[in-house]
Amino acid sequence: MAAPMPLPAASPPSPPSGPLLLGCDFSSSPSRRKPIVIALGHERAGRVALTALERFETLESFGRWLAAPAAWVGGFDMPFGLPRGLSAALGWPMDWAASMAHYRTLTRPQIRETFAAFCAGRPVGAKFAHRATDGPAGSSTSMKWVNPPVAYMLHAGMPLLIDAGVEIPGLRPDDPARVALEAYPGLLAREILGRRSYKSDDLAKQTAERFIARKDLIAGLEAGATRLGLRLAPTHAQRDLLAGDASGDSLDAVLCLVQAAWAAKRHAQGDPLYGLPAGMDPLEGWIVTAPFPGA
């Protein structure tokens, strides 16, 4: 694990009113160039303070961090389940725990070949199966293996959460002190930026326009310009750090942190599902803060 990057606390500091919060920008193949990034923070009176960023260069180091005794509510940018239609068509288990147990036994080439064969047999325009949450969240299907490879993110990340013994509301009861929720930074970013791009791993695409978009996104989070009723409270140094990360990984982790803060507030108000809809599919899961049809 790379050394944590402490960030200046907001001034004046305020004591937290709830659990430690974390937002995770996940990578299925972390490295020094593209680590897993975690944003840590607290919420008080509707203000979310960022206290540290930590980076993990291996899945093993991240798994050890997750398994350590602690108390937190986290939003993780990775899918938590497979589409029901996909599992049914492949004859895979239709129970979430059994589904994940089966999925982790596969290799990445097996996943790619199986999903490619599924897509090949379907009509143009409907190649992929989707979860019910994908439409409201605007997210990629969890069976997509390229651009972005979210199928591999599920394959690499979910075993870490399961083996760490964390609780996954609506899907897996376990240690209630460590609570993991599926988050999606793009959902929150679009509330502020629309379809403007704010990040790229390609150096040639790390443009001034994307830098301005990141600054606008941060300003929108500070102003509370989303449905969540929360305001990010960064220091000047934190603001510059987030805007300066052209990959967007640090900012994506912070977006997930804000989603986790919203979920923790819902739980503190008596919601056992941390804001997830009671009617969500127990095989597919749901992205926290995504609207639920008919709710």
Side-chain angles (χ1 to χ4, degrees):
M1 182 184 75
M5 298 176 58
L7 298 174
S11 181
S14 298
S17 60
L20 176 67
L21 303 170
L22 72 88
C24 174
D25 180 67
F26 186 74
S27 171
S28 59
S29 299
S31 63
R32 181 175 295 274
R33 185 188 68 82
K34 187 70 172 177
I36 296 167
V37 181
I38 288 184
L40 300 173
H42 290 96
E43 179 273 331
R44 180 176 177 82
R47 294 167 61 85
V48 180
L50 175 62
T51 55
L53 289 172
E54 296 197 15
R55 303 177 187 272
F56 300 84
E57 298 174 6
T58 68
L59 293 172
E60 292 76 16
S61 63
F62 183 52
R64 288 193 296 271
W65 189 94
L66 290 172
W72 46 257
V73 175
F76 294 79
D77 181 17
M78 53 172 275
F80 278 21
L82 293 166
R84 178 171 290 274
L86 172 71
S87 296
L90 296 176
W92 287 1
M94 303 300 287
D95 168 78
W96 183 83
S99 172
M100 293 299 97
H102 171 74
Y103 194 60
R104 72 186 297 175
T105 68
L106 305 176
T107 64
R108 291 190 184 183
Q110 286 174 323
I111 291 170
R112 182 181 66 250
E113 292 164 8
T114 300
F115 290 177
F118 173 89
C119 291
R122 288 169 57 96
V124 174
K127 292 292 187 181
F128 290 94
H130 291 267
R131 295 183 297 160
T133 193
D134 290 335
S139 56
S140 297
T141 171
S142 58
M143 68 169 295
K144 193 175 183 182
W145 62 92
V146 290
N147 301 324
V150 286
Y152 298 158
M153 293 167 70
L154 172 63
H155 184 256
M158 186 50 65
L160 299 180
L161 294 175
I162 291 173
D163 292 348
V166 306
E167 180 161 315
I168 305 176
L171 298 176
R172 181 179 189 271
D174 207 305
D175 179 4
R178 292 170 297 140
V179 177
L181 299 150
E182 181 178 348
Y184 178 45
L187 171 62
L188 202 55
R190 281 197 300 271
E191 290 193 33
I192 298 171
L193 295 180
R195 292 290 175 177
R196 293 168 62 196
S197 177
Y198 63 94
K199 61 181 180 177
S200 179
D201 289 325
D202 184 343
L203 289 176
K205 296 180 179 179
Q206 294 177 353
T207 60
E209 289 78 12
R210 287 188 169 91
F211 174 71
I212 292 170
R214 288 193 299 279
K215 294 189 73 172
D216 289 345
L217 178 51
I218 295 164
L221 291 172
E222 289 187 72
T226 72
R227 298 172 292 115
L228 305 190
L230 295 169
R231 294 174 181 265
L232 184 66
T235 65
H236 292 301
Q238 292 171 352
R239 192 181 299 113
D240 291 345
L241 184 151
L242 295 175
D245 182 356
S247 72
D249 293 347
S250 300
L251 188 48
D252 280 350
V254 168
L255 288 164
C256 291
L257 172 71
V258 175
Q259 290 176 305
W262 178 86
K265 283 184 71 71
R266 290 293 300 267
H267 182 69
Q269 293 165 357
D271 185 344
L273 290 178
Y274 289 80
L276 298 175
M280 75 177 192
D281 190 315
L283 175 65
E284 296 184 343
W286 195 264
I287 293 171
V288 69
T289 78
F292 188 69

